[in-house]
Amino acid sequence: MSVWAILVAAGRGERLGLDRPKAFARLGDEPLLAEPLRRLDRSPWIDGIVLVAPPGWEEPAILLAEEEGCGKVHACVAGGETRSDSVRAGLAEVPADALVVLVHDAARPLVSDEVVERVLAPLSEGWDGVVPGLPVGDTLKRVGSDGAVQETVSRDGLWTIQTPQAFLVDTLRRAQAGVADATDCAGLVEAVGGRVKIVDGDPRLLKVTSETDLETVAGWL
Ligand code: CTP
Ligand code: MG
């Protein structure tokens, strides 16, 4: 079976507020993108990679992939306005004979082989999609715009969802064609009636949003 990864790195990183896109923020001694790209390239589970770069940053992204010796990068394309647009641009570059696609946020640099293995396994048991997640640990409350607590919500069965998310390529292509938008790829598959399974994620798959997250992830390198 051939497994392709789409690494979406095309976001602007507005909440990080740097003079460059988040993918090129400094993480340790390198641009953030280097870490997840290298990890996916070295994964024995992955056969090919499509890199989705911020518009105008395709060349530095390709150079970085070359410098890192990431030989599995098959294409580098510019992303779109939304994350879904970027995934769509990436999926268009995944070859027709690919069986499985993993979609991963470059903003979650510390992707591991263990989590890749966990999301791939259930695809051979008939699931349409598999996503890593963590059970919600904190108490949840619904709060009004006036700051007043309206209710405490049961966290029973609630999970926060991470990436990499794995799909049969055909399923994701069909879901994309059938649904306008969803907050993640699994949402598209759910919307067309696909069965999506949750497996254990990893706290280290923290998504870098703020400067503090960048420091936290750098501390875990
Ligand atoms: N992403 C993308 N294309 C977009 C928006 C997001 O490829 N148009 C990617 C980001 O590069 C990131 C992942 O989707 O790897 C998750 O997005 P997020 O953390 O929201 O990143 P940004 O959109 O860059 O950050 P912000 O929302 O603060 O601008
Ligand atoms: Mg965003």
Side-chain angles (χ1 to χ4, degrees):
M1 101 176 172
S2 97
V3 178
W4 280 66
I6 300 173
L7 184 59
V8 284
R12 281 194 282 266
E14 270 165 10
R15 288 167 289 180
L16 201 51
L18 300 177
D19 60 352
R20 64 191 66 191
K22 183 155 68 185
F24 290 90
R26 231 176 113 90
L27 177 67
D29 296 329
E30 307 175 305
L32 179 144
L33 176 60
E35 190 70 33
L37 183 58
R38 203 165 44 221
R39 284 169 174 250
L40 293 178
D41 196 82
R42 309 271 145 95
S43 170
W45 299 101
I46 292 168
D47 300 303
I49 299 171
V50 175
L51 184 50
V52 186
W57 289 76
E58 299 93 319
E59 236 177 81
I62 291 167
L63 272 176
L64 183 65
E66 283 171 359
E67 274 168 29
E68 295 291 334
C70 295
K72 292 180 187 170
V73 177
H74 151 95
C76 177
V77 290
E81 195 52 39
T82 67
R83 183 182 183 279
S84 304
D85 296 335
S86 296
V87 173
R88 192 178 294 272
L91 192 56
E93 299 296 324
V94 171
D97 62 356
L99 198 63
V100 170
V101 64
L102 283 180
V103 181
H104 184 61
D105 292 334
R108 302 179 193 273
L110 299 187
V111 55
S112 68
D113 263 350
E114 288 75 18
V115 80
V116 168
E117 190 174 356
R118 284 202 291 277
V119 295
L120 290 177
L123 290 178
S124 54
E125 297 157 10
W127 295 88
D128 299 301
V130 188
V131 302
L134 297 172
V136 172
D138 293 330
T139 296
L140 291 175
K141 293 188 191 296
R142 190 177 313 281
V143 181
S145 55
D146 59 353
V149 171
Q150 294 168 341
E151 59 167 335
T152 298
V153 182
S154 167
R155 62 176 183 230
D156 221 39
L158 292 184
W159 292 62
T160 56
I161 302 306
Q162 304 175 319
T163 73
Q165 302 192 347
F167 307 93
L168 298 174
V169 177
D170 288 346
T171 306
L172 188 59
R173 287 199 212 271
R174 254 184 289 123
Q176 264 193 351
V179 185
D181 207 6
T183 49
D184 66 353
C185 298
L188 295 174
V189 172
E190 292 155 35
V192 296
R195 290 172 70 238
V196 176
K197 183 177 170 66
I198 301 246
V199 296
D200 286 333
D202 185 340
R204 293 187 178 221
L205 279 171
L206 173 73
K207 189 171 77 165
V208 171
T209 303
S210 64
E211 191 63 43
T212 313
D213 299 332
L214 207 48
E215 284 161 20
T216 303
V217 172
W220 287 337
L221 284 174

